[in-house]
Amino acid sequence: MITYRATLDVPRELVCHLSLLLTAERRRLGTRTGSRALTCFEQVVMGLRWFRDRTDRAALGRDHGISRATAYRYIDEVIGVLADQAPDLHQALRHATDAGLTHLILDGIIIATDRCAEKTTSVKGEPIDLWYSGKARHHGGNIQALSAPCGLPLWVSDVEPGSVHDLTAAREHVLGALYKAAAGGLPTLADSGYDGAGIGILTPVKQPADGRPLDIDTRTRNALLRALRCLGERGFALLTQRWRTLQRITASPSRIGDIIKAALVLTHFEHSYPT
């Protein structure tokens, strides 16, 4: 067995803040002082190692002198405490309005998971893997997100199976509120996958089916829209590149929503997002 030293590259203020949240959670649950194997600070460090580096939970347990089952339970507790702090859709829209944002960016991503055998029936009546995304060509969960014009993610949805189309997921989780926001002067930019989403959701005009070229005004509009919307890709990059556990989830895919909400809270803390 070889031991070595490592540095966890997160602000100490973040660890202290999350430790206070865990302390409050233990108090809420009535946990007796000294009855846990790890202090709140140690538990947070273990959880952030999992978020930051995708460290195997069993290895984390060995590093911290606890069992595999306890490591799983402690990390799930960190996820839950963080996810509870994530802004809901109405809070995110209120923040966008108060901050005077000119527009929002709507985008979706498939968070990769291990293969899941759960089946469903396609629109063509054929049996398919519920969590398989034909667009991404791997199993995963569909997450919708709203970002600020600069690309900072403001809100993420609950997870939908990977077989669910972006537009369908958006209708389920976000479009209704975006219509109201658009009526108040806050439009949303999206890619062509959201074509037909409704009033206030601005998407590029597609090429006519008969092959006719688009006029210059429409091409210019499309170019401007894409130039503004592409910054939304930064939102998912901030989440998945900083918190590498999102690059592939080995837990139940139903947990993806809580995990990405927890990562959103961590991102907001590091970017001084006002709560």
Side-chain angles (χ1 to χ4, degrees):
M1 185 73 71
I2 299 175
T3 61
Y4 63 94
R5 297 182 64 183
T7 300
L8 180 61
D9 58 341
V10 299
R12 188 174 186 85
E13 293 80 4
L14 173 59
V15 180
C16 292
H17 175 69
L18 185 48
S19 296
L20 291 176
L21 294 178
L22 271 178
T23 299
E25 176 66 8
R26 290 186 182 185
R27 188 179 299 117
R28 186 187 69 82
L29 295 173
T31 304
R32 297 190 307 275
T33 302
S35 61
R36 292 291 194 99
L38 299 180
T39 66
C40 289
F41 190 93
E42 292 168 335
Q43 184 178 348
V44 169
V45 169
M46 183 177 69
L48 290 178
R49 286 182 62 193
W50 181 76
F51 271 102
R52 186 72 183 91
D53 298 321
R54 294 185 61 213
T55 308
D56 179 72
R57 296 196 192 197
L60 288 172
R62 290 195 299 271
D63 289 349
H64 290 267
I66 58 178
S67 69
R68 178 191 182 103
T70 302
Y72 270 77
R73 188 172 70 253
Y74 278 13
I75 291 173
D76 284 343
E77 189 173 41
V78 172
I79 293 170
V81 167
L82 280 170
D84 287 343
Q85 301 297 310
D88 63 26
L89 179 56
H90 298 292
Q91 289 172 329
L93 292 176
R94 184 167 60 250
H95 167 73
T97 301
D98 293 344
L101 300 186
T102 57
H103 62 274
L104 298 171
I105 302 172
L106 173 63
D107 203 0
I109 189 175
I110 302 295
I111 301 293
T113 68
D114 290 341
R115 182 181 178 87
C116 186
E118 189 174 356
K119 297 290 185 179
T120 189
T121 303
S122 71
V123 293
K124 297 181 180 179
E126 301 173 350
I128 59 173
D129 285 348
L130 179 63
W131 292 91
Y132 182 80
S133 168
K135 176 183 176 181
R137 297 188 178 182
H138 59 70
H139 288 77
N142 185 315
I143 293 291
Q144 299 296 298
L146 287 177
S147 299
C150 65
L152 179 68
L154 302 177
W155 168 85
V156 292
S157 71
D158 291 327
V159 67
E160 292 287 341
S163 61
V164 175
H165 191 275
D166 279 340
L167 182 55
T168 303
R171 283 177 175 150
E172 176 69 23
H173 295 286
V174 67
L175 288 188
L178 293 183
Y179 297 150
K180 182 178 180 180
L186 184 63
T188 299
L189 311 185
D191 62 32
S192 56
Y194 296 89
D195 187 40
I199 297 173
I201 316 300
L202 308 180
T203 61
V205 177
K206 293 183 177 180
Q207 188 77 23
D210 59 9
R212 287 183 295 107
L214 297 172
D215 61 79
I216 185 62
D217 288 342
T218 302
R219 294 201 303 272
T220 301
R221 174 190 178 277
N222 282 355
L224 290 172
L225 193 149
R226 290 190 176 103
L228 293 171
R229 190 202 61 78
C230 71
L231 294 176
E233 301 292 339
R234 176 174 179 259
F236 283 126
L238 284 172
L239 293 169
T240 61
Q241 299 305 310
R242 176 63 173 162
W243 311 109
R244 297 192 187 100
T245 196
L246 291 173
Q247 294 176 7
R248 187 175 189 86
I249 300 296
T250 56
S252 168
S254 63
R255 295 284 288 155
I256 292 174
D258 283 343
I259 293 170
I260 197 168
K261 286 178 182 178
L264 178 69
V265 173
L266 295 173
T267 300
H268 283 176
F269 188 95
E270 292 195 337
H271 288 78
S272 301
Y273 177 87
T275 56

